[in-house]
Amino acid sequence: MIEIPASKPYAFEASVRDHGWIALAPCRWIAEQNVFQRVERLHNGRVVLLHITGVDSKENVRLLIEVQADGPITWEEQEEIRRKVRWMLKLDEDLSEFYQLASRRNSLWKEVGQGRGRLLRSPTLFEDAIKTICTTNTTWSQTVAMVARLVKCLGDPFPLNPELRAFPTPGQVAAAGEKLFQEEIRLGYRNAYVLQLAQEVVAGRRDLEALRENSLPARDLKKTLKEIKGVGEYAANTLLMLLGYYHELGIDSEMRNFVYRKYFDGQATTDQEIAAIYEGWGQWKYLAYWFDELD
DNA sequence: GTCCAGGTCGCGC
DNA sequence: GCGCGACATGGA
Protein backbone atom coordinates (compact mmCIF):
# COMPACT_ATOMS: atom_id res chain seq x y z
CA MET A 1 0.00 0.00 0.00
CA ILE A 2 1.34 3.38 -1.01
CA GLU A 3 0.26 6.42 0.94
CA ILE A 4 0.26 10.04 -0.18
CA PRO A 5 -0.78 12.85 2.16
CA ALA A 6 -2.83 15.61 0.55
CA SER A 7 -3.23 18.88 2.35
CA LYS A 8 -6.70 20.18 3.05
CA PRO A 9 -9.00 21.31 1.71
CA TYR A 10 -9.15 18.33 -0.60
CA ALA A 11 -12.33 16.50 -1.57
CA PHE A 12 -11.09 13.26 -3.06
CA GLU A 13 -14.27 11.77 -4.44
CA ALA A 14 -15.67 15.01 -5.84
CA SER A 15 -12.36 16.02 -7.38
CA VAL A 16 -11.91 12.71 -9.12
CA ARG A 17 -15.49 12.59 -10.37
CA ASP A 18 -16.24 16.20 -11.29
CA HIS A 19 -14.50 15.84 -14.60
CA GLY A 20 -15.96 13.28 -16.99
CA TRP A 21 -12.50 11.80 -17.50
CA ILE A 22 -13.17 9.20 -14.78
CA ALA A 23 -15.51 7.46 -17.23
CA LEU A 24 -12.81 7.03 -19.86
CA ALA A 25 -10.77 3.82 -19.99
CA PRO A 26 -8.54 2.73 -18.40
CA CYS A 27 -10.06 4.67 -15.50
CA ARG A 28 -13.14 3.66 -13.58
CA TRP A 29 -14.98 4.74 -10.48
CA ILE A 30 -16.06 1.88 -8.23
CA ALA A 31 -18.97 3.44 -6.43
CA GLU A 32 -19.50 0.76 -3.78
CA GLN A 33 -15.99 1.24 -2.46
CA ASN A 34 -15.30 4.90 -3.27
CA VAL A 35 -12.33 3.74 -5.28
CA PHE A 36 -10.70 5.25 -8.32
CA GLN A 37 -9.40 2.34 -10.36
CA ARG A 38 -6.87 2.58 -13.14
CA VAL A 39 -4.82 0.12 -15.14
CA GLU A 40 -1.37 1.57 -15.55
CA ARG A 41 1.53 0.53 -17.72
CA LEU A 42 4.77 1.41 -16.00
CA HIS A 43 7.85 2.69 -17.73
CA ASN A 44 9.43 -0.78 -17.77
CA GLY A 45 6.38 -2.26 -19.48
CA ARG A 46 4.88 -3.83 -16.40
CA VAL A 47 1.10 -3.45 -16.14
CA VAL A 48 -0.41 -2.91 -12.70
CA LEU A 49 -3.86 -2.22 -11.32
CA LEU A 50 -4.26 0.77 -9.02
CA HIS A 51 -7.03 1.18 -6.47
CA ILE A 52 -6.92 4.68 -5.08
CA THR A 53 -9.05 5.97 -2.25
CA GLY A 54 -9.04 8.96 0.07
CA VAL A 55 -9.26 8.80 3.84
CA ASP A 56 -10.18 11.97 5.63
CA SER A 57 -8.49 12.82 8.90
CA LYS A 58 -8.15 15.94 11.02
CA GLU A 59 -4.89 17.26 9.58
CA ASN A 60 -5.07 16.04 5.98
CA VAL A 61 -6.49 13.58 3.48
CA ARG A 62 -4.52 10.38 3.12
CA LEU A 63 -4.56 8.88 -0.33
CA LEU A 64 -4.15 5.14 -0.18
CA ILE A 65 -2.98 3.37 -3.31
CA GLU A 66 -3.37 -0.37 -3.43
CA VAL A 67 -1.20 -1.82 -6.19
CA GLN A 68 -2.11 -5.18 -7.68
CA ALA A 69 0.59 -6.82 -9.76
CA ASP A 70 1.98 -10.18 -10.76
CA GLY A 71 4.62 -9.98 -8.05
CA PRO A 72 6.35 -7.60 -5.68
CA ILE A 73 6.65 -3.94 -6.65
CA THR A 74 10.11 -2.41 -6.65
CA TRP A 75 10.99 0.88 -5.03
CA GLU A 76 11.40 2.51 -8.45
CA GLU A 77 7.98 1.28 -9.53
CA GLN A 78 6.47 2.68 -6.35
CA GLU A 79 8.03 6.04 -7.01
CA GLU A 80 6.69 6.05 -10.57
CA ILE A 81 3.20 5.24 -9.30
CA ARG A 82 3.44 7.97 -6.67
CA ARG A 83 4.55 10.50 -9.26
CA LYS A 84 1.82 9.54 -11.71
CA VAL A 85 -0.93 9.62 -9.09
CA ARG A 86 0.18 13.03 -7.85
CA TRP A 87 0.00 14.27 -11.42
CA MET A 88 -3.37 12.66 -12.22
CA LEU A 89 -4.97 14.08 -9.09
CA LYS A 90 -3.27 17.48 -9.52
CA LEU A 91 -2.08 17.35 -5.95
CA ASP A 92 0.65 19.92 -6.55
CA GLU A 93 -1.57 22.67 -7.90
CA ASP A 94 -2.19 25.71 -5.74
CA LEU A 95 -5.90 26.52 -5.92
CA SER A 96 -6.00 28.91 -2.97
CA GLU A 97 -6.68 31.96 -5.14
CA PHE A 98 -9.54 30.14 -6.85
CA TYR A 99 -11.00 29.19 -3.50
CA GLN A 100 -10.67 32.77 -2.33
CA LEU A 101 -12.61 34.03 -5.34
CA ALA A 102 -15.22 31.32 -4.80
CA SER A 103 -15.65 32.28 -1.16
CA ARG A 104 -16.67 35.79 -2.20
CA ARG A 105 -19.51 34.40 -4.28
CA ASN A 106 -22.86 33.13 -3.07
CA SER A 107 -23.29 30.04 -0.95
CA LEU A 108 -23.48 27.73 -3.95
CA TRP A 109 -19.76 28.28 -4.34
CA LYS A 110 -18.95 27.54 -0.71
CA GLU A 111 -18.74 23.83 -1.30
CA VAL A 112 -16.27 24.33 -4.15
CA GLY A 113 -13.87 25.89 -1.68
CA GLN A 114 -14.09 22.74 0.42
CA GLY A 115 -11.52 21.10 -1.80
CA ARG A 116 -13.00 20.62 -5.24
CA GLY A 117 -11.44 21.67 -8.53
CA ARG A 118 -8.59 19.21 -8.94
CA LEU A 119 -10.03 17.78 -12.13
CA LEU A 120 -8.78 14.36 -13.08
CA ARG A 121 -6.19 14.12 -15.83
CA SER A 122 -4.11 11.36 -17.38
CA PRO A 123 -0.48 10.54 -16.55
CA THR A 124 0.63 11.65 -20.01
CA LEU A 125 -0.35 14.55 -22.22
CA PHE A 126 -0.39 12.04 -25.07
CA GLU A 127 -3.34 10.29 -23.45
CA ASP A 128 -5.14 13.52 -22.65
CA ALA A 129 -4.62 14.87 -26.15
CA ILE A 130 -6.16 11.77 -27.69
CA LYS A 131 -9.04 11.78 -25.23
CA THR A 132 -9.69 15.44 -25.92
CA ILE A 133 -9.66 14.85 -29.68
CA CYS A 134 -12.20 12.10 -29.02
CA THR A 135 -14.57 14.61 -27.41
CA THR A 136 -14.79 16.82 -30.48
CA ASN A 137 -17.80 16.81 -32.77
CA THR A 138 -19.39 13.78 -31.18
CA THR A 139 -21.49 12.79 -28.20
CA TRP A 140 -20.10 11.93 -24.80
CA SER A 141 -21.33 8.34 -25.05
CA GLN A 142 -19.41 7.95 -28.28
CA THR A 143 -16.31 9.44 -26.69
CA VAL A 144 -16.53 6.84 -23.95
CA ALA A 145 -16.93 4.08 -26.54
CA MET A 146 -14.11 5.35 -28.75
CA VAL A 147 -11.60 5.47 -25.90
CA ALA A 148 -12.75 2.05 -24.65
CA ARG A 149 -12.12 0.52 -28.08
CA LEU A 150 -8.73 2.19 -28.36
CA VAL A 151 -7.68 0.71 -25.01
CA LYS A 152 -9.19 -2.69 -25.74
CA CYS A 153 -7.56 -3.02 -29.15
CA LEU A 154 -4.12 -1.59 -28.41
CA GLY A 155 -3.43 -1.49 -24.68
CA ASP A 156 -1.32 -4.01 -22.81
CA PRO A 157 -3.36 -6.43 -20.66
CA PHE A 158 -3.16 -6.57 -16.88
CA PRO A 159 -1.67 -10.03 -16.25
CA LEU A 160 -4.02 -10.93 -13.40
CA ASN A 161 -7.09 -10.01 -15.46
CA PRO A 162 -6.36 -9.67 -19.17
CA GLU A 163 -9.69 -8.01 -19.87
CA LEU A 164 -8.36 -4.93 -18.14
CA ARG A 165 -5.93 -3.04 -20.31
CA ALA A 166 -3.67 -0.02 -20.01
CA PHE A 167 -3.81 3.01 -22.24
CA PRO A 168 -1.65 2.33 -25.31
CA THR A 169 1.74 3.95 -25.67
CA PRO A 170 2.53 6.20 -28.65
CA GLY A 171 4.47 3.27 -30.11
CA GLN A 172 1.52 0.94 -29.78
CA VAL A 173 -0.85 3.45 -31.39
CA ALA A 174 1.59 4.24 -34.18
CA ALA A 175 2.10 0.55 -34.89
CA ALA A 176 -1.62 -0.01 -35.41
CA GLY A 177 -2.43 0.30 -39.08
CA GLU A 178 -5.11 2.44 -40.63
CA LYS A 179 -7.07 -0.73 -41.27
CA LEU A 180 -7.28 -1.62 -37.58
CA PHE A 181 -8.42 1.91 -36.83
CA GLN A 182 -11.08 1.82 -39.52
CA GLU A 183 -12.40 -1.62 -38.72
CA GLU A 184 -12.03 -1.97 -34.98
CA ILE A 185 -11.21 1.25 -33.17
CA ARG A 186 -13.52 3.42 -35.31
CA LEU A 187 -12.74 6.96 -34.29
CA GLY A 188 -14.16 8.22 -37.57
CA TYR A 189 -12.12 10.93 -39.23
CA ARG A 190 -10.18 11.24 -35.95
CA ASN A 191 -8.37 8.02 -36.85
CA ALA A 192 -5.92 10.00 -38.95
CA TYR A 193 -5.38 12.63 -36.24
CA VAL A 194 -4.62 10.09 -33.52
CA LEU A 195 -2.39 8.05 -35.79
CA GLN A 196 -0.48 11.11 -36.92
CA LEU A 197 0.03 12.32 -33.37
CA ALA A 198 1.39 8.95 -32.28
CA GLN A 199 3.71 8.80 -35.28
CA GLU A 200 5.06 12.27 -34.57
CA VAL A 201 5.76 11.38 -30.95
CA VAL A 202 7.46 8.12 -31.91
CA ALA A 203 9.56 9.85 -34.54
CA GLY A 204 10.68 12.40 -31.96
CA ARG A 205 9.15 15.26 -33.91
CA ARG A 206 6.78 16.14 -31.07
CA ASP A 207 7.71 16.03 -27.39
CA LEU A 208 4.31 16.21 -25.75
CA GLU A 209 5.49 15.27 -22.29
CA ALA A 210 7.96 18.14 -22.19
CA LEU A 211 4.93 20.43 -22.28
CA ARG A 212 3.96 19.18 -18.83
CA GLU A 213 7.01 20.77 -17.29
CA ASN A 214 5.70 24.32 -17.03
CA SER A 215 8.65 25.66 -18.93
CA LEU A 216 6.68 27.59 -21.55
CA PRO A 217 4.47 30.64 -21.14
CA ALA A 218 0.79 29.74 -21.62
CA ARG A 219 0.72 31.58 -24.91
CA ASP A 220 3.47 29.46 -26.46
CA LEU A 221 2.01 26.36 -24.90
CA LYS A 222 -1.28 27.02 -26.63
CA LYS A 223 0.38 27.67 -29.95
CA THR A 224 2.25 24.39 -29.66
CA LEU A 225 -0.90 22.50 -28.74
CA LYS A 226 -2.78 23.90 -31.72
CA GLU A 227 -0.09 22.56 -34.00
CA ILE A 228 -1.44 19.10 -33.22
CA LYS A 229 -3.74 18.09 -36.05
CA GLY A 230 -7.25 17.80 -34.64
CA VAL A 231 -6.63 20.25 -31.81
CA GLY A 232 -8.34 23.57 -32.38
CA GLU A 233 -9.44 26.36 -30.09
CA TYR A 234 -11.67 24.29 -27.81
CA ALA A 235 -9.30 21.33 -27.54
CA ALA A 236 -6.25 23.51 -26.92
CA ASN A 237 -7.99 25.34 -24.10
CA THR A 238 -9.18 22.06 -22.64
CA LEU A 239 -5.63 20.72 -22.66
CA LEU A 240 -4.42 23.96 -21.13
CA MET A 241 -6.99 23.45 -18.41
CA LEU A 242 -5.65 19.98 -17.73
CA LEU A 243 -2.16 21.45 -17.61
CA GLY A 244 -3.31 23.93 -15.00
CA TYR A 245 -4.06 27.04 -17.06
CA TYR A 246 -7.65 28.17 -16.69
CA HIS A 247 -7.56 31.68 -18.11
CA GLU A 248 -9.30 30.77 -21.36
CA LEU A 249 -12.58 28.91 -21.81
CA GLY A 250 -12.85 25.81 -23.95
CA ILE A 251 -16.09 26.82 -25.54
CA ASP A 252 -18.03 23.91 -26.97
CA SER A 253 -21.69 23.24 -27.63
CA GLU A 254 -22.14 22.02 -24.07
CA MET A 255 -20.83 25.26 -22.59
CA ARG A 256 -22.80 27.35 -25.05
CA ASN A 257 -26.05 25.63 -24.18
CA PHE A 258 -25.39 25.95 -20.48
CA VAL A 259 -24.56 29.65 -20.67
CA TYR A 260 -27.49 30.42 -22.97
CA ARG A 261 -29.87 28.77 -20.54
CA LYS A 262 -28.47 30.25 -17.37
CA TYR A 263 -27.56 33.76 -18.46
CA PHE A 264 -29.28 34.59 -21.74
CA ASP A 265 -32.78 33.23 -21.28
CA GLY A 266 -32.08 30.46 -23.75
CA GLN A 267 -31.04 32.87 -26.49
CA ALA A 268 -27.86 32.21 -28.45
CA THR A 269 -25.06 34.77 -28.13
CA THR A 270 -21.50 35.22 -29.29
CA ASP A 271 -18.52 33.50 -27.71
CA GLN A 272 -17.33 36.93 -26.59
CA GLU A 273 -20.43 37.35 -24.47
CA ILE A 274 -19.89 33.89 -23.01
CA ALA A 275 -16.33 34.84 -22.08
CA ALA A 276 -17.63 38.04 -20.48
CA ILE A 277 -19.73 35.97 -18.04
CA TYR A 278 -16.59 34.48 -16.51
CA GLU A 279 -14.40 37.57 -16.80
CA GLY A 280 -14.44 38.16 -13.04
CA TRP A 281 -12.66 34.88 -12.44
CA GLY A 282 -9.42 36.14 -13.92
CA GLN A 283 -6.98 33.28 -14.25
CA TRP A 284 -9.64 30.79 -13.15
CA LYS A 285 -12.38 31.18 -15.76
CA TYR A 286 -12.47 27.65 -17.16
CA LEU A 287 -12.31 26.09 -13.72
CA ALA A 288 -15.16 28.31 -12.55
CA TYR A 289 -17.27 27.15 -15.47
CA TRP A 290 -17.03 23.56 -14.28
CA PHE A 291 -18.68 24.46 -11.01
CA ASP A 292 -21.20 26.93 -12.33
CA GLU A 293 -24.68 25.51 -12.21
CA LEU A 294 -28.27 26.36 -13.03
CA ASP A 295 -29.96 27.70 -9.93
C1' DG B 1 -33.75 9.01 -45.18
C1' DT B 2 -32.16 13.41 -42.20
C1' DC B 3 -30.05 15.70 -38.53
C1' DC B 4 -26.55 16.39 -35.24
C1' DA B 5 -23.36 15.64 -31.34
C1' DG B 6 -18.77 18.60 -25.50
C1' DG B 7 -15.11 20.92 -33.50
C1' DT B 8 -11.50 21.23 -36.80
C1' DC B 9 -9.47 21.57 -41.33
C1' DG B 10 -8.68 23.64 -45.61
C1' DC B 11 -10.08 26.65 -48.67
C1' DG B 12 -11.42 31.19 -50.67
C1' DC B 13 -11.94 35.85 -49.69
C1' DG C 1 -8.75 37.65 -39.78
C1' DC C 2 -13.91 35.38 -41.13
C1' DG C 3 -17.34 32.21 -43.48
C1' DC C 4 -18.31 27.89 -45.25
C1' DG C 5 -18.60 22.91 -46.57
C1' DA C 6 -16.69 18.46 -45.56
C1' DC C 7 -15.73 15.12 -42.30
C1' DA C 8 -16.63 9.37 -39.81
C1' DT C 9 -19.47 7.49 -36.59
C1' DG C 10 -23.73 6.14 -34.29
C1' DG C 11 -28.03 7.42 -32.07
C1' DA C 12 -32.59 9.85 -32.27
mmCIF file of all heavy atoms in Angstrom, chain A residues 105 109 258-267 277-278 292-294:
data_model
loop_
_atom_site.group_PDB
_atom_site.id
_atom_site.type_symbol
_atom_site.label_atom_id
_atom_site.label_comp_id
_atom_site.label_asym_id
_atom_site.label_seq_id
_atom_site.Cartn_x
_atom_site.Cartn_y
_atom_site.Cartn_z
ATOM 1 N N ARG A 105 -18.264 34.571 -3.539
ATOM 2 C CA ARG A 105 -19.514 34.396 -4.276
ATOM 3 C C ARG A 105 -20.609 33.913 -3.327
ATOM 4 O O ARG A 105 -20.403 33.782 -2.127
ATOM 5 C CB ARG A 105 -19.316 33.378 -5.396
ATOM 6 C CG ARG A 105 -18.251 33.776 -6.381
ATOM 7 C CD ARG A 105 -18.867 34.462 -7.564
ATOM 8 N NE ARG A 105 -17.883 35.168 -8.376
ATOM 9 C CZ ARG A 105 -18.112 35.544 -9.616
ATOM 10 N NH1 ARG A 105 -19.282 35.293 -10.171
ATOM 11 N NH2 ARG A 105 -17.207 36.196 -10.294
ATOM 12 N N TRP A 109 -21.178 28.454 -4.068
ATOM 13 C CA TRP A 109 -19.757 28.277 -4.338
ATOM 14 C C TRP A 109 -18.975 27.842 -3.094
ATOM 15 O O TRP A 109 -17.790 27.546 -3.180
ATOM 16 C CB TRP A 109 -19.160 29.571 -4.891
ATOM 17 C CG TRP A 109 -19.599 29.827 -6.287
ATOM 18 C CD1 TRP A 109 -20.667 30.583 -6.685
ATOM 19 C CD2 TRP A 109 -19.002 29.315 -7.480
ATOM 20 N NE1 TRP A 109 -20.772 30.564 -8.046
ATOM 21 C CE2 TRP A 109 -19.756 29.804 -8.559
ATOM 22 C CE3 TRP A 109 -17.904 28.490 -7.743
ATOM 23 C CZ2 TRP A 109 -19.455 29.491 -9.880
ATOM 24 C CZ3 TRP A 109 -17.598 28.189 -9.048
ATOM 25 C CH2 TRP A 109 -18.371 28.681 -10.103
ATOM 26 N N PHE A 258 -25.279 25.656 -21.906
ATOM 27 C CA PHE A 258 -25.393 25.954 -20.482
ATOM 28 C C PHE A 258 -25.494 27.463 -20.251
ATOM 29 O O PHE A 258 -26.382 27.940 -19.537
ATOM 30 C CB PHE A 258 -24.190 25.392 -19.722
ATOM 31 C CG PHE A 258 -24.125 25.867 -18.297
ATOM 32 C CD1 PHE A 258 -24.914 25.282 -17.332
ATOM 33 C CD2 PHE A 258 -23.296 26.928 -17.945
ATOM 34 C CE1 PHE A 258 -24.878 25.737 -16.017
ATOM 35 C CE2 PHE A 258 -23.259 27.391 -16.641
ATOM 36 C CZ PHE A 258 -24.051 26.791 -15.676
ATOM 37 N N VAL A 259 -24.585 28.201 -20.878
ATOM 38 C CA VAL A 259 -24.558 29.648 -20.666
ATOM 39 C C VAL A 259 -25.813 30.312 -21.249
ATOM 40 O O VAL A 259 -26.379 31.212 -20.635
ATOM 41 C CB VAL A 259 -23.269 30.260 -21.258
ATOM 42 C CG1 VAL A 259 -23.316 31.775 -21.208
ATOM 43 C CG2 VAL A 259 -22.055 29.747 -20.484
ATOM 44 N N TYR A 260 -26.258 29.847 -22.397
ATOM 45 C CA TYR A 260 -27.494 30.415 -22.966
ATOM 46 C C TYR A 260 -28.651 30.234 -21.994
ATOM 47 O O TYR A 260 -29.428 31.152 -21.757
ATOM 48 C CB TYR A 260 -27.865 29.728 -24.287
ATOM 49 C CG TYR A 260 -26.854 29.882 -25.395
ATOM 50 C CD1 TYR A 260 -26.876 29.033 -26.500
ATOM 51 C CD2 TYR A 260 -25.888 30.879 -25.353
ATOM 52 C CE1 TYR A 260 -25.955 29.155 -27.515
ATOM 53 C CE2 TYR A 260 -24.960 31.009 -26.367
ATOM 54 C CZ TYR A 260 -24.993 30.141 -27.446
ATOM 55 O OH TYR A 260 -24.077 30.255 -28.455
ATOM 56 N N ARG A 261 -28.738 29.057 -21.431
ATOM 57 C CA ARG A 261 -29.869 28.770 -20.536
ATOM 58 C C ARG A 261 -29.772 29.575 -19.251
ATOM 59 O O ARG A 261 -30.740 30.172 -18.797
ATOM 60 C CB ARG A 261 -29.910 27.275 -20.183
ATOM 61 C CG ARG A 261 -30.756 26.463 -21.127
ATOM 62 C CD ARG A 261 -30.973 25.071 -20.583
ATOM 63 N NE ARG A 261 -29.706 24.354 -20.438
ATOM 64 C CZ ARG A 261 -29.536 23.293 -19.646
ATOM 65 N NH1 ARG A 261 -30.526 22.841 -18.932
ATOM 66 N NH2 ARG A 261 -28.354 22.704 -19.574
ATOM 67 N N LYS A 262 -28.571 29.606 -18.671
ATOM 68 C CA LYS A 262 -28.469 30.248 -17.368
ATOM 69 C C LYS A 262 -28.459 31.768 -17.456
ATOM 70 O O LYS A 262 -29.022 32.441 -16.606
ATOM 71 C CB LYS A 262 -27.213 29.771 -16.638
ATOM 72 C CG LYS A 262 -26.996 30.524 -15.323
ATOM 73 C CD LYS A 262 -26.115 29.808 -14.342
ATOM 74 C CE LYS A 262 -25.994 30.642 -13.066
ATOM 75 N NZ LYS A 262 -25.172 30.003 -12.046
ATOM 76 N N TYR A 263 -27.789 32.307 -18.460
ATOM 77 C CA TYR A 263 -27.557 33.757 -18.457
ATOM 78 C C TYR A 263 -28.269 34.533 -19.563
ATOM 79 O O TYR A 263 -28.358 35.739 -19.492
ATOM 80 C CB TYR A 263 -26.053 34.037 -18.566
ATOM 81 C CG TYR A 263 -25.252 33.504 -17.403
ATOM 82 C CD1 TYR A 263 -24.544 32.319 -17.514
ATOM 83 C CD2 TYR A 263 -25.234 34.193 -16.189
ATOM 84 C CE1 TYR A 263 -23.801 31.826 -16.450
ATOM 85 C CE2 TYR A 263 -24.497 33.708 -15.116
ATOM 86 C CZ TYR A 263 -23.790 32.526 -15.251
ATOM 87 O OH TYR A 263 -23.070 32.047 -14.192
ATOM 88 N N PHE A 264 -28.716 33.854 -20.608
ATOM 89 C CA PHE A 264 -29.284 34.586 -21.743
ATOM 90 C C PHE A 264 -30.690 34.119 -22.095
ATOM 91 O O PHE A 264 -31.105 34.232 -23.237
ATOM 92 C CB PHE A 264 -28.358 34.490 -22.958
ATOM 93 C CG PHE A 264 -27.015 35.147 -22.746
ATOM 94 C CD1 PHE A 264 -25.904 34.398 -22.366
ATOM 95 C CD2 PHE A 264 -26.878 36.529 -22.894
ATOM 96 C CE1 PHE A 264 -24.666 35.002 -22.149
ATOM 97 C CE2 PHE A 264 -25.645 37.134 -22.683
ATOM 98 C CZ PHE A 264 -24.543 36.374 -22.314
ATOM 99 N N ASP A 265 -31.389 33.580 -21.079
ATOM 100 C CA ASP A 265 -32.785 33.230 -21.280
ATOM 101 C C ASP A 265 -32.966 32.281 -22.471
ATOM 102 O O ASP A 265 -33.949 32.363 -23.202
ATOM 103 C CB ASP A 265 -33.596 34.519 -21.504
ATOM 104 C CG ASP A 265 -35.055 34.309 -21.130
ATOM 105 O OD1 ASP A 265 -35.321 33.412 -20.313
ATOM 106 O OD2 ASP A 265 -35.914 35.025 -21.673
ATOM 107 N N GLY A 266 -31.976 31.431 -22.680
ATOM 108 C CA GLY A 266 -32.079 30.457 -23.751
ATOM 109 C C GLY A 266 -31.703 30.989 -25.129
ATOM 110 O O GLY A 266 -31.691 30.236 -26.096
ATOM 111 N N GLN A 267 -31.395 32.284 -25.186
ATOM 112 C CA GLN A 267 -31.038 32.870 -26.490
ATOM 113 C C GLN A 267 -29.549 32.684 -26.784
ATOM 114 O O GLN A 267 -28.708 32.872 -25.909
ATOM 115 C CB GLN A 267 -31.355 34.371 -26.480
ATOM 116 C CG GLN A 267 -32.834 34.676 -26.375
ATOM 117 C CD GLN A 267 -33.631 34.089 -27.537
ATOM 118 O OE1 GLN A 267 -33.363 34.395 -28.693
ATOM 119 N NE2 GLN A 267 -34.593 33.219 -27.232
ATOM 120 N N ILE A 277 -19.070 36.502 -19.243
ATOM 121 C CA ILE A 277 -19.726 35.966 -18.042
ATOM 122 C C ILE A 277 -18.691 35.562 -16.986
ATOM 123 O O ILE A 277 -18.889 35.741 -15.791
ATOM 124 C CB ILE A 277 -20.585 34.729 -18.400
ATOM 125 C CG1 ILE A 277 -21.743 35.126 -19.313
ATOM 126 C CG2 ILE A 277 -21.087 34.022 -17.150
ATOM 127 C CD1 ILE A 277 -22.789 35.993 -18.676
ATOM 128 N N TYR A 278 -17.583 35.014 -17.444
ATOM 129 C CA TYR A 278 -16.587 34.484 -16.505
ATOM 130 C C TYR A 278 -15.395 35.414 -16.319
ATOM 131 O O TYR A 278 -14.390 35.039 -15.706
ATOM 132 C CB TYR A 278 -16.134 33.090 -16.960
ATOM 133 C CG TYR A 278 -17.270 32.102 -16.929
ATOM 134 C CD1 TYR A 278 -17.988 31.809 -18.084
ATOM 135 C CD2 TYR A 278 -17.669 31.512 -15.735
ATOM 136 C CE1 TYR A 278 -19.066 30.925 -18.055
ATOM 137 C CE2 TYR A 278 -18.740 30.640 -15.686
ATOM 138 C CZ TYR A 278 -19.436 30.348 -16.851
ATOM 139 O OH TYR A 278 -20.504 29.493 -16.808
ATOM 140 N N ASP A 292 -20.027 26.081 -12.165
ATOM 141 C CA ASP A 292 -21.197 26.930 -12.325
ATOM 142 C C ASP A 292 -22.390 26.007 -12.553
ATOM 143 O O ASP A 292 -22.260 24.974 -13.178
ATOM 144 C CB ASP A 292 -20.989 27.841 -13.548
ATOM 145 C CG ASP A 292 -21.900 29.051 -13.494
ATOM 146 O OD1 ASP A 292 -22.589 29.238 -12.476
ATOM 147 O OD2 ASP A 292 -21.915 29.801 -14.477
ATOM 148 N N GLU A 293 -23.517 26.362 -12.003
ATOM 149 C CA GLU A 293 -24.679 25.506 -12.214
ATOM 150 C C GLU A 293 -25.950 26.318 -12.340
ATOM 151 O O GLU A 293 -26.007 27.470 -11.912
ATOM 152 C CB GLU A 293 -24.812 24.486 -11.088
ATOM 153 C CG GLU A 293 -24.570 25.058 -9.705
ATOM 154 C CD GLU A 293 -24.505 23.959 -8.647
ATOM 155 O OE1 GLU A 293 -23.440 23.369 -8.433
ATOM 156 O OE2 GLU A 293 -25.565 23.719 -8.049
ATOM 157 N N LEU A 294 -26.963 25.712 -12.922
ATOM 158 C CA LEU A 294 -28.271 26.363 -13.029
ATOM 159 C C LEU A 294 -28.847 26.479 -11.627
ATOM 160 O O LEU A 294 -28.802 25.523 -10.866
ATOM 161 C CB LEU A 294 -29.203 25.503 -13.881
ATOM 162 C CG LEU A 294 -28.792 25.318 -15.339
ATOM 163 C CD1 LEU A 294 -29.643 24.258 -15.996
ATOM 164 C CD2 LEU A 294 -28.913 26.630 -16.091
#
